[in-house]
Amino acid sequence: MAAAKYRIFLIVSSFLLCLFLALPVQAAEKVRVGCVDIGDFIQIDQDGYAIGYGADYLNKIAEYTGWEYEYIQAPWGECLDMLRRGELDLLLPAEYSEERAEDFLFSSYECCFDFAALVGRKSDERLYYDDYHGFQGIRVGMIKGNFLNDLFDEYAENHGFSYEAVYYDTGTQILEALEREDVDAIINGNMEYNMNQKLLAKIDYMPAYFITSVDKPGLMVRLNKALKQIFIDNPYYSAGLYEKYYHEMDRQFAEFTREESQFVKQNGPVSVLVARSDYPFEWYDEKEKTCKGAYVDYMRHLSKVSGLNFEFIPLEPEEASADKLFRENAQIRLSVFKQKRSGMSGSLKYTIPYYNCSFSLVGKKDEPLNLSSYQRIAMVEKVDGLQEVLEDKYPKWEIVTYDTPKDCLTAVENGNADCAMVSSIKLSADRNLLGMNLVVVDGSTAVSPVYIGVSESANPLLAQVLSKSIAKAGEGAMDEAVYATLLSGKENKDFSYFIQTYPLYFAFGVIAVSLLGVGILFMRYDARHQKLQNLILQKKNEELKAAIAMQTLLRRKAQTDALTGLKNKSTTEELCRACLEHAQGD
């Protein structure tokens, strides 16, 4: 009976398994996406894979929806028509307009931010940034049906110039037309960039969205649900994508106006004040009579970017600590931190920051600290911008200012401060700066931006040109200058530097040298004394030998007859007596 039940169970199980295997497998939903000719947005590589900003975003959405994508390449206008006819399911990036909203559904979340831009050839010296007079009558390449065209038409009307529009089907075609000089400029977004191009105008800034046909509300509901979840999981996802693909755009598009370009061409050398001893950032090499340091190297790089010529002038010792930031005729001061919360100081203007200086917290060894409680923090007085950051972040801290990083560390060693805030780069550059009793408590406690300070008496265009040049140079240029300085290790350290920086080691060195000198003098004295002793001993030995020889000669004369040379009578008797005593009766 049990065997029969077992056979029935096997038959039923086999039937159900076959039925399950015969069922069709649910395939992933395929979504047709328009692939528009926009550089680095969605491109199909040689292996057939979609790459770029838009492709990455769509792949992220697929993690929540399970979609598979079929990319269909076509010009923007054709993609819009295909989306209306239902031949496409999804298209991006699309700017919102009421006219488009009649035919398409827009996502609740933007896929990116874009600005309409007028772009020209870098080699074309007739046109400059926001050069409205120069734009009069230019030929402008545009993509048919592009929403940005209407924005540029409004821009031209508002600024009083006319232009000739030349239409093309794709982004590739307008780029080729610009390169062939068939047009003077093109209308494009900031998501396209070519090294041979320059920005002539930013027309408008706007969000761009995913769109689908009004006949597919269900697809848009699922898309919005996925976008919301992406935003919840990582609110900065789209910002990370922008950093990955387009972070160079802002600095590449920092172009000069006609007025700024004329200033660069006609301006003479710009005088730059340099601190005498602020290694590794800036210092004066007394031996080579030249200014050195990471900031100086960066300014030399900025000279190539901007076209300006810089003349480096070392600060005199008394000027380095003076309240007056500029001497007469000086125009630029390096390593400037903003002085007041209000932003501007009365004696200078600021460029945009060119470096973010990281600061470490240094304390005594084996002394635990509670950074959220009251602490006395020593920091360099000139870094006022950092002081304000710390006051906001740690309201319970008491800030005590000193002239130099070494003074701050000495204050910690002497118990006048609990910790010192010192540049992380300085600590890396000089391993002996901490000494024996100090240790880094927090490697990156705060970051303070560093600016170029421009004298109030300088031409206002100088600060503008420098700011745009800093943007053009990019974030990595200053980091490269710092690391190159650290790797070279060519700081000019004279005798006074070691006395000021390492007074304890200097004292030990003086004592050691003194003891060594005394030891050498003692050894020389001892050697001379030993040599004299040896001469005296040698003389006494010679005298002793002479006395023994004389004694032997006198004894021989006393025991022999002077005439015959034989033993005399007394010696013979003495010898006979001794012989008889030892004869023992023989």
Side-chain angles (χ1 to χ4, degrees):
M1 185 68 179
K5 289 182 178 180
Y6 180 69
R7 284 195 296 273
I8 294 173
F9 173 77
L10 288 176
I11 293 171
V12 172
S13 299
S14 301
F15 174 77
L16 292 175
L17 179 61
C18 292
L19 183 63
F20 175 78
L21 294 174
L23 291 174
V25 178
Q26 182 67 35
E29 182 179 356
K30 183 162 291 188
V31 175
R32 296 164 298 177
V33 179
C35 183
V36 184
D37 189 12
I38 300 177
D40 290 337
F41 195 77
I42 299 179
Q43 293 181 320
I44 308 302
D45 66 13
Q46 59 184 5
D47 298 322
Y49 293 103
I51 57 174
Y53 179 102
D56 281 5
Y57 213 142
L58 289 168
N59 291 336
K60 189 66 176 179
I61 292 170
E63 295 178 11
Y64 296 87
T65 60
W67 291 341
E68 287 186 357
Y69 301 110
E70 177 187 353
Y71 290 98
I72 300 175
Q73 294 178 290
W76 178 257
E78 290 185 23
C79 284
L80 288 175
D81 292 336
M82 294 170 69
L83 197 62
R84 288 190 188 95
R85 296 193 300 265
E87 298 171 7
L88 285 178
D89 301 308
L90 205 58
L91 185 61
L92 68 159
E95 291 81 12
Y96 178 84
S97 70
E98 293 182 359
E99 182 182 356
R100 283 181 176 177
E102 294 177 1
D103 298 323
F104 306 111
L105 297 175
F106 286 76
S107 60
S108 300
Y109 297 86
E110 67 276 352
C111 66
C112 62
F113 282 88
D114 198 4
F115 63 75
L118 181 66
V119 179
R121 291 182 297 276
K122 190 176 288 292
S123 59
D124 191 348
E125 297 186 358
R126 300 172 302 158
L127 302 178
Y128 296 89
Y129 184 77
D130 279 350
D131 184 18
Y132 312 126
H133 179 74
F135 294 163
Q136 179 63 39
I138 61 172
R139 298 164 298 164
V140 181
M142 298 179 173
I143 299 175
K144 295 177 183 177
N146 195 330
F147 177 71
L148 305 181
N149 301 342
D150 295 334
L151 295 177
F152 179 70
D153 189 62
E154 183 179 349
Y155 172 84
E157 184 177 350
N158 291 339
H159 291 92
F161 67 89
S162 60
Y163 65 94
E164 177 188 347
V166 184
Y167 294 99
Y168 298 89
D169 291 326
T170 67
T172 299
Q173 289 177 356
I174 64 171
L175 292 174
E176 292 174 349
L178 180 65
E179 188 175 347
R180 291 194 307 266
E181 300 186 15
D182 293 342
V183 293
D184 302 308
I186 60 174
I187 296 299
N188 218 345
N190 72 330
M191 292 200 166
E192 291 235 36
Y193 175 74
N194 186 290
M195 292 296 293
N196 297 321
Q197 298 172 1
K198 65 179 177 181
L199 182 68
L200 299 177
K202 287 184 179 181
I203 301 165
D204 202 355
Y205 189 70
M206 70 209 78
Y209 302 89
F210 300 87
I211 60 173
T212 188
S213 170
V214 292
D215 299 328
K216 297 183 179 180
L219 185 143
M220 184 55 70
V221 169
R222 295 180 63 187
L223 175 63
N224 283 331
K225 185 178 178 180
L227 290 173
K228 180 178 180 180
Q229 193 59 48
I230 291 172
F231 185 80
I232 291 173
D233 294 343
N234 182 4
Y236 307 104
Y237 179 76
S238 59
L241 283 183
Y242 187 88
E243 178 70 17
K244 176 180 178 181
Y245 288 101
Y246 304 114
H247 72 283
E248 296 290 319
M249 292 298 178
D250 292 339
R251 77 179 184 90
Q252 297 290 0
F253 278 152
E255 299 293 345
F256 295 150
T257 64
R258 182 182 294 274
E259 188 180 18
E260 290 166 348
S261 297
Q262 292 296 329
F263 168 77
V264 171
K265 292 177 181 178
Q266 298 172 4
N267 195 64
V270 178
S271 56
V272 182
L273 293 179
V274 178
R276 281 186 169 266
S277 57
D278 189 17
Y279 180 82
F281 299 114
E282 49 183 326
W283 77 91
Y284 183 68
D285 190 322
E286 296 284 356
K287 184 178 180 181
E288 298 183 13
K289 303 299 180 183
T290 184
C291 294
K292 294 183 177 181
Y295 290 157
V296 176
D297 291 342
Y298 177 78
M299 292 302 295
R300 292 191 175 106
H301 175 72
L302 220 58
S303 175
K304 298 177 182 178
V305 174
S306 65
L308 293 170
N309 294 317
F310 298 114
E311 177 186 13
F312 300 99
I313 304 172
L315 281 166
E316 297 301 326
E318 63 274 8
E319 292 178 316
S321 59
D323 293 333
K324 188 176 180 180
L325 288 172
F326 289 94
R327 67 167 69 150
E328 188 178 356
N329 299 325
Q331 296 171 278
I332 291 179
R333 180 76 184 267
L334 302 178
S335 186
V336 174
F337 296 85
K338 281 195 174 180
Q339 304 285 316
K340 303 295 180 185
R341 291 184 188 275
S342 59
M344 289 291 182
S345 171
S347 60
L348 77 163
K349 296 182 286 291
Y350 296 114
T351 64
I352 63 172
Y354 65 97
Y355 182 58
N356 287 319
C357 191
S358 178
F359 289 84
S360 298
L361 198 62
V362 177
K364 283 188 177 181
K365 289 182 179 179
D366 304 323
E367 289 191 9
L369 293 170
N370 182 4
L371 300 184
S372 61
S373 64
Y374 171 80
Q375 301 289 341
R376 295 169 302 165
I377 307 298
M379 58 172 289
V380 177
E381 185 175 10
K382 71 174 183 177
V383 195
D384 290 337
L386 174 62
Q387 181 173 343
E388 293 167 2
V389 171
L390 296 179
E391 287 173 350
D392 292 337
K393 189 175 181 180
Y394 303 102
K396 294 184 179 180
W397 284 8
E398 177 187 352
I399 307 298
V400 186
T401 58
Y402 293 88
D403 292 334
T404 67
K406 187 62 180 177
D407 294 338
C408 295
L409 297 174
T410 302
V412 177
E413 288 186 323
N414 296 339
N416 296 325
D418 300 309
C419 286
M421 193 69 66
V422 181
S423 164
S424 304
I425 295 297
K426 281 186 173 293
L427 293 174
S428 300
D430 190 348
R431 298 293 183 181
N432 297 319
L433 191 59
L434 289 179
M436 301 295 293
N437 301 320
L438 301 180
V439 65
V440 174
V441 178
D442 186 355
S444 184
T445 306
V447 175
S448 186
V450 184
Y451 303 79
I452 295 175
V454 181
S455 172
E456 194 176 39
S457 61
N459 191 317
L461 291 175
L462 178 58
Q464 296 174 206
V465 169
L466 287 173
S467 290
K468 288 186 177 181
S469 301
I470 291 170
K472 281 176 172 288
E475 299 175 357
M478 183 59 207
D479 291 331
E480 291 177 5
V482 170
Y483 295 141
T485 302
L486 293 179
L487 290 174
S488 66
K490 294 181 180 179
E491 179 189 7
N492 182 42
K493 298 180 179 179
D494 56 15
F495 189 66
S496 61
Y497 170 86
F498 286 102
I499 296 177
Q500 296 172 5
T501 309
Y502 309 109
L504 191 59
Y505 292 115
F506 176 74
F508 285 149
V510 171
I511 294 173
V513 171
S514 301
L515 291 176
L516 181 61
V518 171
I520 292 174
L521 291 175
F522 176 78
M523 291 174 63
R524 292 185 63 184
Y525 170 79
D526 183 67
R528 292 179 63 186
H529 180 71
Q530 186 66 38
K531 184 177 180 180
L532 182 60
Q533 292 281 34
N534 291 337
L535 290 175
I536 295 173
L537 182 60
Q538 182 180 358
K539 185 175 181 181
K540 288 186 175 294
N541 287 338
E542 291 175 354
E543 291 177 351
L544 182 59
K545 289 180 180 179
I548 293 173
M550 181 61 67
Q551 185 179 11
T552 302
L553 177 61
L554 292 174
R555 182 181 296 113
R556 184 180 300 112
K557 287 183 176 180
Q559 292 177 349
T560 58
D561 181 67
L563 181 61
T564 62
L566 300 174
K567 300 293 184 181
N568 56 24
K569 178 181 179 183
S570 58
T571 302
T572 302
E573 290 176 352
E574 183 68 26
L575 291 173
C576 290
R577 189 181 296 110
C579 181
L580 291 172
E581 289 177 357
H582 291 86
Q584 298 179 353
D586 294 337

mmCIF file of all heavy atoms in Angstrom, residues 49 82 121 147 155 164 214 241 253 259 331 344 409 423 434 436 438 447 457 478 496 507 533 537 544 546 554 585:
data_model
loop_
_atom_site.group_PDB
_atom_site.id
_atom_site.type_symbol
_atom_site.label_atom_id
_atom_site.label_comp_id
_atom_site.label_asym_id
_atom_site.label_seq_id
_atom_site.Cartn_x
_atom_site.Cartn_y
_atom_site.Cartn_z
ATOM 1 N N TYR A 49 27.326 48.631 -26.934
ATOM 2 C CA TYR A 49 26.849 49.009 -25.612
ATOM 3 C C TYR A 49 26.659 50.522 -25.530
ATOM 4 O O TYR A 49 27.440 51.297 -26.091
ATOM 5 C CB TYR A 49 27.829 48.564 -24.532
ATOM 6 C CG TYR A 49 27.933 47.066 -24.380
ATOM 7 C CD1 TYR A 49 29.021 46.375 -24.910
ATOM 8 C CD2 TYR A 49 26.940 46.338 -23.727
ATOM 9 C CE1 TYR A 49 29.128 45.003 -24.792
ATOM 10 C CE2 TYR A 49 27.038 44.950 -23.595
ATOM 11 C CZ TYR A 49 28.132 44.291 -24.132
ATOM 12 O OH TYR A 49 28.218 42.924 -24.017
ATOM 13 N N MET A 82 8.884 60.150 -33.555
ATOM 14 C CA MET A 82 8.745 58.721 -33.259
ATOM 15 C C MET A 82 8.095 58.507 -31.903
ATOM 16 O O MET A 82 7.327 57.561 -31.705
ATOM 17 C CB MET A 82 10.125 58.046 -33.301
ATOM 18 C CG MET A 82 10.765 58.029 -34.682
ATOM 19 S SD MET A 82 12.493 57.493 -34.671
ATOM 20 C CE MET A 82 12.304 55.766 -34.258
ATOM 21 N N ARG A 121 34.461 79.109 -32.445
ATOM 22 C CA ARG A 121 35.788 78.495 -32.587
ATOM 23 C C ARG A 121 36.792 79.223 -31.697
ATOM 24 O O ARG A 121 36.789 80.465 -31.638
ATOM 25 C CB ARG A 121 36.253 78.561 -34.050
ATOM 26 C CG ARG A 121 35.480 77.673 -34.997
ATOM 27 C CD ARG A 121 36.054 77.765 -36.408
ATOM 28 N NE ARG A 121 35.930 79.126 -36.937
ATOM 29 C CZ ARG A 121 34.846 79.614 -37.516
ATOM 30 N NH1 ARG A 121 33.764 78.848 -37.657
ATOM 31 N NH2 ARG A 121 34.800 80.850 -37.972
ATOM 32 N N PHE A 147 14.571 73.140 -28.907
ATOM 33 C CA PHE A 147 13.946 74.119 -28.022
ATOM 34 C C PHE A 147 14.883 75.289 -27.715
ATOM 35 O O PHE A 147 14.443 76.412 -27.449
ATOM 36 C CB PHE A 147 13.523 73.420 -26.727
ATOM 37 C CG PHE A 147 12.926 74.328 -25.707
ATOM 38 C CD1 PHE A 147 11.667 74.878 -25.897
ATOM 39 C CD2 PHE A 147 13.613 74.641 -24.546
ATOM 40 C CE1 PHE A 147 11.104 75.720 -24.942
ATOM 41 C CE2 PHE A 147 13.071 75.477 -23.592
ATOM 42 C CZ PHE A 147 11.804 76.014 -23.790
ATOM 43 N N TYR A 155 17.205 85.900 -26.672
ATOM 44 C CA TYR A 155 18.458 86.489 -26.177
ATOM 45 C C TYR A 155 18.965 87.561 -27.150
ATOM 46 O O TYR A 155 19.372 88.658 -26.731
ATOM 47 C CB TYR A 155 19.495 85.370 -26.009
ATOM 48 C CG TYR A 155 20.895 85.820 -25.679
ATOM 49 C CD1 TYR A 155 21.281 86.085 -24.375
ATOM 50 C CD2 TYR A 155 21.850 85.967 -26.689
ATOM 51 C CE1 TYR A 155 22.583 86.472 -24.073
ATOM 52 C CE2 TYR A 155 23.144 86.362 -26.409
ATOM 53 C CZ TYR A 155 23.504 86.612 -25.095
ATOM 54 O OH TYR A 155 24.782 87.015 -24.807
ATOM 55 N N GLU A 164 21.989 85.349 -38.601
ATOM 56 C CA GLU A 164 21.495 84.501 -39.679
ATOM 57 C C GLU A 164 21.483 83.052 -39.207
ATOM 58 O O GLU A 164 22.531 82.507 -38.836
ATOM 59 C CB GLU A 164 22.398 84.636 -40.910
ATOM 60 C CG GLU A 164 21.983 83.726 -42.070
ATOM 61 C CD GLU A 164 23.000 83.733 -43.199
ATOM 62 O OE1 GLU A 164 23.894 84.619 -43.199
ATOM 63 O OE2 GLU A 164 22.930 82.840 -44.081
ATOM 64 N N VAL A 214 2.006 60.944 -24.195
ATOM 65 C CA VAL A 214 0.853 61.083 -23.287
ATOM 66 C C VAL A 214 0.013 59.808 -23.274
ATOM 67 O O VAL A 214 -0.815 59.603 -22.367
ATOM 68 C CB VAL A 214 -0.026 62.285 -23.699
ATOM 69 C CG1 VAL A 214 0.701 63.592 -23.472
ATOM 70 C CG2 VAL A 214 -0.469 62.164 -25.154
ATOM 71 N N LEU A 241 27.055 61.834 -11.379
ATOM 72 C CA LEU A 241 27.187 61.578 -12.817
ATOM 73 C C LEU A 241 27.738 62.798 -13.546
ATOM 74 O O LEU A 241 28.577 62.675 -14.443
ATOM 75 C CB LEU A 241 25.826 61.197 -13.407
ATOM 76 C CG LEU A 241 25.324 59.781 -13.168
ATOM 77 C CD1 LEU A 241 24.008 59.563 -13.888
ATOM 78 C CD2 LEU A 241 26.336 58.734 -13.615
ATOM 79 N N PHE A 253 34.876 76.646 -20.097
ATOM 80 C CA PHE A 253 34.037 77.697 -20.668
ATOM 81 C C PHE A 253 34.201 79.039 -19.961
ATOM 82 O O PHE A 253 33.365 79.919 -20.097
ATOM 83 C CB PHE A 253 32.570 77.270 -20.622
ATOM 84 C CG PHE A 253 32.183 76.359 -21.757
ATOM 85 C CD1 PHE A 253 31.157 75.446 -21.615
ATOM 86 C CD2 PHE A 253 32.840 76.417 -22.971
ATOM 87 C CE1 PHE A 253 30.790 74.618 -22.664
ATOM 88 C CE2 PHE A 253 32.487 75.588 -24.021
ATOM 89 C CZ PHE A 253 31.457 74.684 -23.867
ATOM 90 N N GLU A 259 36.972 93.257 -23.520
ATOM 91 C CA GLU A 259 37.680 94.198 -22.649
ATOM 92 C C GLU A 259 38.772 93.491 -21.858
ATOM 93 O O GLU A 259 39.892 93.999 -21.720
ATOM 94 C CB GLU A 259 36.678 94.865 -21.703
ATOM 95 C CG GLU A 259 37.266 95.998 -20.883
ATOM 96 C CD GLU A 259 36.242 96.622 -19.957
ATOM 97 O OE1 GLU A 259 35.193 95.979 -19.704
ATOM 98 O OE2 GLU A 259 36.501 97.737 -19.471
ATOM 99 N N GLN A 331 50.613 94.579 -6.647
ATOM 100 C CA GLN A 331 49.259 94.326 -7.121
ATOM 101 C C GLN A 331 48.635 93.047 -6.584
ATOM 102 O O GLN A 331 47.427 92.970 -6.405
ATOM 103 C CB GLN A 331 49.265 94.276 -8.659
ATOM 104 C CG GLN A 331 49.658 95.594 -9.309
ATOM 105 C CD GLN A 331 49.873 95.460 -10.790
ATOM 106 O OE1 GLN A 331 50.928 95.043 -11.254
ATOM 107 N NE2 GLN A 331 48.851 95.812 -11.561
ATOM 108 N N MET A 344 34.657 91.044 2.027
ATOM 109 C CA MET A 344 35.728 91.869 1.480
ATOM 110 C C MET A 344 36.491 92.604 2.575
ATOM 111 O O MET A 344 35.919 93.059 3.553
ATOM 112 C CB MET A 344 35.138 92.911 0.516
ATOM 113 C CG MET A 344 34.636 92.301 -0.776
ATOM 114 S SD MET A 344 35.974 91.687 -1.799
ATOM 115 C CE MET A 344 35.071 91.101 -3.219
ATOM 116 N N LEU A 409 52.591 75.093 17.868
ATOM 117 C CA LEU A 409 52.996 73.800 18.430
ATOM 118 C C LEU A 409 53.740 73.982 19.747
ATOM 119 O O LEU A 409 53.585 73.177 20.682
ATOM 120 C CB LEU A 409 53.862 73.058 17.416
ATOM 121 C CG LEU A 409 53.166 72.684 16.100
ATOM 122 C CD1 LEU A 409 54.155 72.089 15.115
ATOM 123 C CD2 LEU A 409 52.021 71.716 16.356
ATOM 124 N N SER A 423 48.559 73.419 9.120
ATOM 125 C CA SER A 423 48.365 72.943 7.753
ATOM 126 C C SER A 423 48.854 71.500 7.606
ATOM 127 O O SER A 423 49.979 71.164 7.987
ATOM 128 C CB SER A 423 49.133 73.845 6.775
ATOM 129 O OG SER A 423 49.260 73.219 5.517
ATOM 130 N N LEU A 434 56.637 68.234 14.379
ATOM 131 C CA LEU A 434 55.865 67.829 15.551
ATOM 132 C C LEU A 434 56.726 67.664 16.795
ATOM 133 O O LEU A 434 56.252 67.834 17.910
ATOM 134 C CB LEU A 434 55.143 66.508 15.263
ATOM 135 C CG LEU A 434 53.967 66.563 14.287
ATOM 136 C CD1 LEU A 434 53.378 65.175 14.096
ATOM 137 C CD2 LEU A 434 52.902 67.512 14.792
ATOM 138 N N MET A 436 58.974 65.498 19.637
ATOM 139 C CA MET A 436 58.876 64.189 20.285
ATOM 140 C C MET A 436 57.580 64.005 21.069
ATOM 141 O O MET A 436 57.133 62.879 21.274
ATOM 142 C CB MET A 436 60.074 64.003 21.229
ATOM 143 C CG MET A 436 61.420 64.081 20.549
ATOM 144 S SD MET A 436 61.678 62.740 19.359
ATOM 145 C CE MET A 436 61.747 61.337 20.495
ATOM 146 N N LEU A 438 54.429 65.510 20.515
ATOM 147 C CA LEU A 438 53.175 65.865 19.872
ATOM 148 C C LEU A 438 52.767 64.799 18.861
ATOM 149 O O LEU A 438 53.596 64.062 18.341
ATOM 150 C CB LEU A 438 53.302 67.221 19.171
ATOM 151 C CG LEU A 438 53.678 68.416 20.048
ATOM 152 C CD1 LEU A 438 53.773 69.683 19.208
ATOM 153 C CD2 LEU A 438 52.676 68.602 21.178
ATOM 154 N N VAL A 447 38.866 72.659 6.531
ATOM 155 C CA VAL A 447 39.406 73.083 5.242
ATOM 156 C C VAL A 447 39.043 74.545 5.037
ATOM 157 O O VAL A 447 37.891 74.937 5.247
ATOM 158 C CB VAL A 447 38.850 72.230 4.087
ATOM 159 C CG1 VAL A 447 39.319 72.765 2.750
ATOM 160 C CG2 VAL A 447 39.259 70.776 4.254
ATOM 161 N N SER A 457 44.013 99.319 -5.461
ATOM 162 C CA SER A 457 44.487 100.299 -6.439
ATOM 163 C C SER A 457 44.730 99.703 -7.818
ATOM 164 O O SER A 457 44.966 100.422 -8.781
ATOM 165 C CB SER A 457 45.788 100.947 -5.939
ATOM 166 O OG SER A 457 46.792 99.955 -5.774
ATOM 167 N N MET A 478 46.811 73.251 -8.809
ATOM 168 C CA MET A 478 47.439 73.620 -7.548
ATOM 169 C C MET A 478 47.913 72.387 -6.781
ATOM 170 O O MET A 478 48.996 72.398 -6.178
ATOM 171 C CB MET A 478 46.457 74.439 -6.700
ATOM 172 C CG MET A 478 47.049 74.939 -5.397
ATOM 173 S SD MET A 478 48.502 75.987 -5.653
ATOM 174 C CE MET A 478 49.365 75.710 -4.119
ATOM 175 N N SER A 496 69.843 80.237 10.269
ATOM 176 C CA SER A 496 68.863 80.847 11.168
ATOM 177 C C SER A 496 67.562 80.054 11.193
ATOM 178 O O SER A 496 66.866 80.003 12.208
ATOM 179 C CB SER A 496 68.582 82.287 10.739
ATOM 180 O OG SER A 496 68.046 82.313 9.432
ATOM 181 N N ALA A 507 70.494 73.339 20.601
ATOM 182 C CA ALA A 507 71.189 73.376 21.889
ATOM 183 C C ALA A 507 71.943 72.071 22.130
ATOM 184 O O ALA A 507 73.114 72.075 22.562
ATOM 185 C CB ALA A 507 70.191 73.630 23.012
ATOM 186 N N GLN A 533 106.466 61.012 29.043
ATOM 187 C CA GLN A 533 106.731 59.929 30.006
ATOM 188 C C GLN A 533 107.612 58.862 29.375
ATOM 189 O O GLN A 533 108.525 58.312 30.022
ATOM 190 C CB GLN A 533 105.407 59.313 30.475
ATOM 191 C CG GLN A 533 104.555 60.235 31.335
ATOM 192 C CD GLN A 533 105.050 60.282 32.790
ATOM 193 O OE1 GLN A 533 106.260 60.188 33.051
ATOM 194 N NE2 GLN A 533 104.139 60.443 33.713
ATOM 195 N N LEU A 537 111.295 57.611 30.621
ATOM 196 C CA LEU A 537 111.536 56.200 30.939
ATOM 197 C C LEU A 537 112.680 55.652 30.089
ATOM 198 O O LEU A 537 113.528 54.876 30.599
ATOM 199 C CB LEU A 537 110.249 55.406 30.668
ATOM 200 C CG LEU A 537 110.301 53.912 31.000
ATOM 201 C CD1 LEU A 537 110.617 53.700 32.490
ATOM 202 C CD2 LEU A 537 108.993 53.225 30.639
ATOM 203 N N LEU A 544 120.383 53.199 33.566
ATOM 204 C CA LEU A 544 120.495 51.956 34.340
ATOM 205 C C LEU A 544 121.432 50.973 33.646
ATOM 206 O O LEU A 544 122.258 50.309 34.295
ATOM 207 C CB LEU A 544 119.103 51.353 34.519
ATOM 208 C CG LEU A 544 119.030 50.057 35.345
ATOM 209 C CD1 LEU A 544 119.576 50.283 36.759
ATOM 210 C CD2 LEU A 544 117.607 49.526 35.394
ATOM 211 N N ALA A 546 123.862 51.700 31.692
ATOM 212 C CA ALA A 546 125.245 52.209 31.827
ATOM 213 C C ALA A 546 125.799 51.913 33.226
ATOM 214 O O ALA A 546 126.983 51.557 33.388
ATOM 215 C CB ALA A 546 125.251 53.709 31.566
ATOM 216 N N LEU A 554 133.858 47.193 37.121
ATOM 217 C CA LEU A 554 134.574 47.398 38.387
ATOM 218 C C LEU A 554 134.784 46.070 39.117
ATOM 219 O O LEU A 554 135.838 45.834 39.735
ATOM 220 C CB LEU A 554 133.813 48.380 39.266
ATOM 221 C CG LEU A 554 133.772 49.838 38.741
ATOM 222 C CD1 LEU A 554 132.860 50.675 39.629
ATOM 223 C CD2 LEU A 554 135.179 50.432 38.669
ATOM 224 N N GLY A 585 133.390 15.886 51.569
ATOM 225 C CA GLY A 585 134.354 14.824 51.922
ATOM 226 C C GLY A 585 134.983 14.146 50.736
ATOM 227 O O GLY A 585 135.767 13.228 50.897
#
